């Protein structure tokens, strides 16, 4: 059995802006045939109405959209099942898309699925969708349901949501379009009657893969996976696949069931689109017009300076000097370009998410290590935290009578330098607030001071060095409270 799942937009109408008054109703529709545990089939229909294509009516300071929906399943001119209802948005301060799911029971047969949408705020804004649906769930035949793709899914704790199914809440994607910012593709299917069709004691294999449509009927394999399952009356297939590196284009998602002889006994496929405009783009070639569409355009000078100063610690070599020059010059276009280039490099699929995630971390580091001399991420501890992450262990010492307060950070593994058991020692020589500076580290590329112990104890125990030669001595004599070397070497 081979079938392509239907996934269609009534009218492809994509706009960058969401106007209060729409021009043409744009609805995405996808459907799948499933069955209840007692083998009664039904058609599940997922709907999405694009925010840009419906009219929102203001109520005080908020707004709301309403669309009449009529779903018909017809055998010839006979209506076998239907639903008629009004789909309303919540009260919102800006337009948003409408999502819905409906499930209509029908016996096996071939039907016309017809859906009419009517914008209640504009009598001229309406659309009708129509396609053929075949329902054929037989008890004695292995059945693989249609594939449905989703934006995301999460476990359900008995919410009673319309979007809940088999313990998960799944957000449908009727347009079958993964836009910039989407990193994962989720798809769902159900398998029926393998307990009747697979021999006892045997298993069956489900293979699934993504292929790029190369044109002229040619497909290129991109990624694949599989699951081996034991026979059951009903089994669920819920899979998440990484699409972060999928370039813009048309793709086919395919799933197939193979028996013990590795023969395909059932298969389904679904086509989807992917938009990933920055994946293979040299950001340095972006035009001013293209850059103006990115998130950095909405940042004022203060926000730009804060974000750029926050990424200084993680820049390498000449990039750090270039960034300091950009900050000194103060040209807003250059600042926006540098910031966007950095986060596009971190996540070409969603630079804005990379920016938000990093700024959340940088703000926490700023607060944790803030001093009167600058932002917390500009201190040595803040810089190391942003560069290498949270340490696996930490020793903070304030009761060593021969030394100022100091900290030792321990990293069991440091992938950035390909080292293990790496340590950093910070100390507060001025005793001023939290102004700790890096004195010594075993990390490649960081300060390495063989005389660190003498520097740490020079104020109160400067002459108690280990050895006879002051110029060559690097360590201090042991003392009951002088534990820094023990902590650094043995901890």
């Amino acid at each position: 059995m081979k079938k392509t799942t239907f996934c269609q937009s009534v009218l492809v109408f994509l706009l960058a802006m969401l106007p209060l008054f729409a021009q043409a109703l744009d609805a995405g529709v996808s459907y799948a045939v499933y069955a209840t545990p007692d083998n009664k089939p039904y058609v599940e229909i997922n709907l999405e109405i694009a925010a840009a294509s419906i009219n929102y009516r203001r109520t005080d300071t908020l707004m709301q959209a309403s669309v009449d929906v009529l779903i018909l399943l017809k055998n010839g001119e006979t209506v076998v099942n239907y639903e008629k209802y009004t789909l309303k948005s919540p009260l919102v301060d800006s337009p948003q898309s409408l999502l819905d799911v409906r499930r209509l029971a029908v016996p096996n047969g071939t039907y016309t699925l017809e859906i009419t949408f009517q914008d209640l705020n504009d009598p001229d804004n309406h659309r009708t969708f129509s396609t053929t649906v075949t329902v054929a769930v037989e008890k004695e035949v292995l059945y693989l349901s249609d594939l449905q793709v989703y934006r995301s899914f999460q476990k359900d704790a008995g919410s009673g949501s319309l979007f809940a199914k088999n313990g998960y809440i799944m957000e449908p994607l009727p347009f079958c379009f993964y836009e910039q910012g989407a990193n994962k593709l989720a798809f769902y299917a159900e398998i029926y009657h393998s307990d009747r069709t697979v021999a006892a004691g045997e298993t069956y294999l489900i293979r699934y893969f993504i292929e790029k449509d190369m044109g002229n009927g040619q497909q290129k394999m991109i990624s694949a996976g599989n699951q081996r399952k034991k026979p059951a009356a009903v089994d669920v297939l819920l899979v998440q696949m990484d699409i972060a590196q999928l370039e813009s284009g048309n793709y086919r998602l395919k799933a197939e069931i193979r028996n013990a002889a590795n023969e395909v006994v059932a298969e389904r496929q679904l086509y989807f689109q992917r938009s990933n405009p920055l994946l293979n783009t040299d950001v340095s070639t972006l035009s001013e017009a293209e850059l103006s569409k990115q998130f950095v355009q909405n940042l004022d000078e203060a926000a730009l300076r804060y974000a750029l100063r926050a990424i200084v610690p993680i820049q390498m070599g000449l990039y750090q000097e270039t960034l300091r020059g950009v900050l000194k010059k103060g040209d807003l276009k250059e600042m926006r370009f540098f910031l966007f280039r950095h986060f596009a490099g971190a996540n070409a699929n969603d630079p804005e998410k990379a920016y938000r995630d990093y700024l959340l971390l940088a703000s926490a580091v700023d607060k944790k290590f803030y001093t009167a001399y600058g932002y917390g991420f500009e201190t040595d501890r803040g810089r190391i935290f942003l560069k290498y992450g949270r340490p696996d262990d930490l020793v903070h010492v304030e009761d060593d009578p021969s030394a100022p307060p100091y900290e030792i950070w321990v990293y069991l593994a440091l992938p950035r330098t390909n080292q293990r058991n790496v340590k950093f020692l910070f100390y507060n020589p001025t005793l001023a607030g939290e102004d700790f500076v890096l004195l010594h580290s075993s990390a490649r590329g960081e300060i390495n001071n063989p005389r660190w112990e003498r520097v740490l104890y020079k104020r109160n125990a400067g002459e108690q060095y280990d050895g006879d030669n002051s110029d060559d001595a690097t360590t201090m004599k042991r003392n009951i409270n002088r534990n820094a070397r023990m902590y650094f070497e043995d901890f």
Side-chain angles (χ1 to χ4, degrees), residues 101-114:
V101 58
R102 297 287 156 161
R103 300 175 178 96
L104 281 68
V106 288
N108 286 339
T110 299
Y111 304 94
T112 298
L113 172 62
E114 185 178 294

Side-chain angles (χ1 to χ4, degrees), residues 153-156 163-170 188 236 238:
F153 64 87
Q154 61 183 10
K155 287 188 175 181
D156 180 30
F163 302 105
K165 183 161 48 180
N166 285 316
Y168 290 90
I169 296 177
M170 292 180 275
Y188 176 91
V236 168
L238 179 59

Side-chain angles (χ1 to χ4, degrees), residues 175 216 293 308 313 315 361 482:
F175 283 106
N216 299 320
K293 301 174 185 177
L308 288 170
Q315 299 299 307
L361 172 63
R482 198 175 297 153

Side-chain angles (χ1 to χ4, degrees), residues 302-367:
L304 285 169
R305 286 192 174 278
Y306 184 85
L308 288 170
R309 289 175 68 173
I311 65 174
V312 167
I314 59 176
Q315 299 299 307
M316 300 293 289
L318 291 176
Y319 282 105
Q320 192 171 91
E321 292 306 311
T322 300
L323 175 52
R324 294 187 191 280
V326 169
L327 282 165
K328 184 177 181 180
K329 185 177 179 181
D331 183 281
L332 294 183
K333 290 182 182 178
E334 290 186 20
M335 293 165 71
R336 289 190 172 99
F337 173 77
F338 195 102
L339 191 68
F340 180 74
R341 181 177 63 179
H342 172 82
F343 287 107
N347 183 352
N349 190 41
D350 195 348
E352 185 174 4
K353 183 179 185 301
Y355 162 79
R356 291 197 308 267
D357 290 347
Y358 184 81
L359 262 291
L360 190 65
L361 172 63
S363 297
V365 170
D366 181 17
K367 183 177 180 180

